[in-house]
Amino acid sequence: MDQFLRVAIEEAEAGLKEGGLPIGSVLVHDGRIIGRGHNRRIQQGSPILHGEMDALENAGRQPASVYKNSTLYTTLSPCAMCTGAILLYGIPRVVIGENSNFTGEEELLKSRGVVLDIRQDQDCIKLMGDFIRQHPDLWNEDIGE
């Protein structure tokens, strides 16, 4: 397994242990992680701390050149908000752990030239699928269908 996807999964597992949604993300630049995070919407009472947003926040302020040469790894397909951040900062590549439990704005990302690498990782699928089945109320509170 890709080392960076593994770290994103570790972040997702940390979120679950904290009582939140198991979605993790890492921002990678020049082969090293510059930001990592997980969905902390429940833990922080935040409407915007999705995994991708948390990883971007934890990366801190970066020059545009850094974002334009980075890859974002996420355990779940990005929602509209996280897609907007990816486009805003010009992140050219997104590695998606899985999109079978939720398919976000992949078509929009592709239409804007973002390269998507969808892994359908079984750990990601199980982690999110189990959570949705066990906590449909928490899933549906945000981006669930």
Side-chain angles (χ1 to χ4, degrees), residues 50 52 72 74 76-87 91 94 96 98-118 139 142-145:
H50 287 192
E52 299 90 336
L72 184 74
T74 181
L76 187 66
S77 185
C79 73
M81 177 179 63
C82 297
T83 292
I86 291 163
L87 295 175
I91 298 169
V94 179
I96 298 170
E98 67 106 344
N99 67 359
S100 60
N101 283 299
F102 174 79
T103 302
E105 300 297 326
E106 295 173 12
E107 293 306 314
L108 175 57
L109 288 167
K110 287 191 275 190
S111 78
R112 298 283 294 274
V114 177
V115 175
L116 302 182
D117 179 354
I118 302 166
W139 172 247
D142 190 20
I143 59 172
E145 298 174 0

Side-chain angles (χ1 to χ4, degrees), residues 7-130:
V7 174
I9 292 169
E10 289 169 6
E11 284 290 330
E13 291 167 340
L16 184 62
K17 286 178 186 157
E18 294 171 0
L21 281 76
I23 304 168
S25 184
V26 296
L27 183 63
V28 176
H29 179 258
D30 284 342
R32 77 177 179 87
I33 295 170
I34 61 171
R36 59 190 288 167
H38 52 271
N39 187 301
R40 295 189 304 145
R41 184 174 58 78
I42 293 167
Q43 300 92 307
Q44 299 294 322
S46 171
I48 61 170
L49 277 180
H50 287 192
E52 299 90 336
M53 302 300 277
D54 195 39
L56 287 167
E57 176 73 14
N58 290 329
R61 290 178 60 202
Q62 300 291 330
S65 61
V66 169
Y67 296 116
K68 292 181 184 334
N69 290 293
S70 292
T71 298
L72 184 74
Y73 288 74
T74 181
T75 58
L76 187 66
S77 185
C79 73
M81 177 179 63
C82 297
T83 292
I86 291 163
L87 295 175
L88 176 67
Y89 292 108
I91 298 169
R93 181 170 179 255
V94 179
V95 176
I96 298 170
E98 67 106 344
N99 67 359
S100 60
N101 283 299
F102 174 79
T103 302
E105 300 297 326
E106 295 173 12
E107 293 306 314
L108 175 57
L109 288 167
K110 287 191 275 190
S111 78
R112 298 283 294 274
V114 177
V115 175
L116 302 182
D117 179 354
I118 302 166
R119 302 286 175 90
Q120 300 302 25
D121 179 86
Q122 292 305 305
D123 291 337
C124 293
I125 292 169
K126 180 172 178 11
L127 198 58
M128 196 70 239
D130 288 350

